[in-house]
């Protein structure tokens, strides 16, 4: 009797939690549990399943259509953690405004943002994209070729940002990077930003964009960017990719080079 009374007392609280966080529970089901189950049942990773969908539905050599097909997959089939169309338009606008010649992407994943950046780069620009997972890198390589993007414009480097960033200048002949897009592990954002600084890879005026700074969030990165005195920081608020009800944002950092 006492246990039942306690349970009834907590019921309104539990219902409130379920209502407040229902969108996050749906995200957990759609993006994690369902994908994990299908991976186990099919024996084929979701990234490879997404690429097979691209092969069947995307127009080869058309980067814009490849991105639209990616969006169809993530909206109708299975969730992929890509920047998505809403935040993608923010990236495209900033890329057009800055017209960078040296670009760096940390976290290639399946190549969605790589294609987005490559198709918006000015002539003569070069993009280096870093992916730690070899299987994801293999999918991204095929996505880039499907979109008609060759190795003269984009070089995919397999490795950790922590290992690749110190070698950019000497091994890859990258003098500095004008435009950086971060979409890898959020806990690594701050470390890798400081690596770029310590290796003097950011010229004055360089742009650093960091995705998902609100969901799942990168608070230490944001605190550093706002307080160190070397960046002008702006937050572009949007929704989480393919989940309009969950708030997210892209942090835009402009490097001043002065403390």
């Amino acid at each position: 009797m006492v246990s039942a009374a306690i349970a009834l007392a907590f019921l309104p609280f539990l219902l409130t939690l379920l209502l407040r966080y229902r969108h996050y529970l749906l995200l957990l089901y759609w993006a994690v549990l369902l994908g994990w189950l299908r991976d186990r049942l099919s024996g084929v990773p979701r990234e490879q399943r997404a690429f097979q969908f691209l092969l069947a539905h995307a127009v080869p050599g058309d980067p814009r259509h490849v991105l639209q097909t990616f969006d169809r997959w993530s909206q109708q089939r299975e969730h992929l953690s890509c920047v998505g169309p809403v935040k993608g338009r923010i990236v495209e606008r900033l890329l057009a405004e800055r017209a960078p010649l040296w670009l760096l992407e940390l976290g290639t994943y399946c190549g969605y943002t790589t294609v987005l950046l490559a198709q918006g780069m000015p002539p003569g620009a070069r993009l280096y994209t870093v992916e730690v997972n070899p299987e994801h890198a293999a999918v991204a390589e095929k996505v880039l070729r499907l979109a008609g993007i060759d190795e003269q414009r984009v070089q995919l480097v397999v490795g950790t940002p922590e290992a690749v960033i110190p070698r950019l200048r000497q091994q890859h002949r990258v003098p500095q990077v004008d435009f950086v897009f971060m979409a890898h592990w959020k806990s690594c954002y701050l470390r890798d930003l400081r690596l770029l600084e310590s290796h003097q890879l950011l010229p004055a005026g360089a742009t650093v964009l960091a995705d998902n700074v609100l969901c799942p969030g990168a608070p230490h990165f944001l605190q550093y960017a706002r307080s160190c005195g070397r960046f002008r920081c702006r937050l572009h608020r949007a929704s989480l990719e393919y989940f309009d009800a969950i708030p997210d944002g892209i942090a835009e950092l402009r490097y001043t080079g002065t403390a």
Side-chain angles (χ1 to χ4, degrees), residues 27 30-31 34 38 46 50 53-54 66-85 109-110 112 241-243:
L27 174 63
W30 181 251
L34 186 61
R38 287 176 173 169
R46 77 186 75 179
F53 184 82
L54 291 181
V66 167
L67 294 177
Q68 291 171 351
T69 308
F70 252 129
D71 293 332
R72 283 175 56 198
W73 169 269
S74 291
Q75 290 164 345
Q76 301 172 9
R77 301 295 183 93
E78 298 180 60
H79 182 271
L80 288 178
S81 184
C82 307
V83 71
Y109 191 41
C110 292
Y112 182 105
E241 52 270 19
Y242 313 115
F243 279 87

Side-chain angles (χ1 to χ4, degrees), residues 14-28:
L14 292 174
L15 289 175
T16 301
L17 284 180
L18 286 174
L19 286 173
R20 178 175 296 180
Y21 296 107
R22 64 189 184 280
H23 301 297
Y24 294 91
L25 293 173
L26 178 60
L27 174 63
L28 176 65

Side-chain angles (χ1 to χ4, degrees), residues 123-134:
R126 188 156 175 79
L127 167 62
Y128 288 80
T129 181
V130 181
E131 173 56 47
V132 66
N133 187 314

